[in-house]
Amino acid sequence: MIDPATQTPPSNPYLVLASAIVLPGSGHVMLGLPARGLQFLFFMVILAWVTTKVAPADASFIGRHAGGFLIYALSILDAYRIARVRHAIWVHRTGPDGDSTGSGAK
């Protein structure tokens, strides 16, 4: 069992969210998952390129790169979700009851 007093707190989910919004993939890097961030970045570029080739010529910038923006939005949500889950687990383990083995019912 991990001693909650010696466990370092995870990254702040809102800081991870802000980082992921500003620079794609950086939220995953903050979480210690650089390969996952790089995968999102790779697919973002690939799908933006594919959408550019498929979209009509009179489409707006966002319309021409919609695939990339979709992956960008998914990467933001993914980084934030991972950060929230890690933070919730950390709060639960360091709470007043600690990591109890009970069912949770009082």
Side-chain angles (χ1 to χ4, degrees):
M1 180 188 283
I2 299 173
D3 181 21
T6 61
Q7 187 181 13
T8 59
S11 300
N12 184 343
Y14 296 119
L15 186 61
V16 171
L17 177 66
S19 175
I21 290 171
V22 172
L23 187 62
S26 64
H28 289 94
V29 171
M30 285 182 67
L31 293 170
L33 303 168
R36 189 175 182 105
L38 190 61
Q39 288 171 349
F40 271 109
L41 197 58
F42 175 75
F43 282 107
M44 190 182 317
V45 170
I46 294 297
L47 281 178
W49 179 79
V50 167
T51 310
T52 303
K53 300 302 177 192
V54 174
D58 62 340
S60 67
F61 178 80
I62 296 200
R64 282 179 298 181
H65 300 88
F69 284 115
L70 171 69
I71 302 300
Y72 173 57
L74 291 175
S75 74
I76 292 169
L77 293 174
D78 184 64
Y80 180 67
R81 180 189 57 84
I82 293 171
R84 287 291 295 179
V85 167
R86 286 184 179 180
H87 187 265
I89 290 170
W90 180 78
V91 166
H92 176 72
R93 287 189 176 160
T94 58
D97 296 332
D99 192 14
S100 63
T101 58
S103 66
K106 298 287 180 184

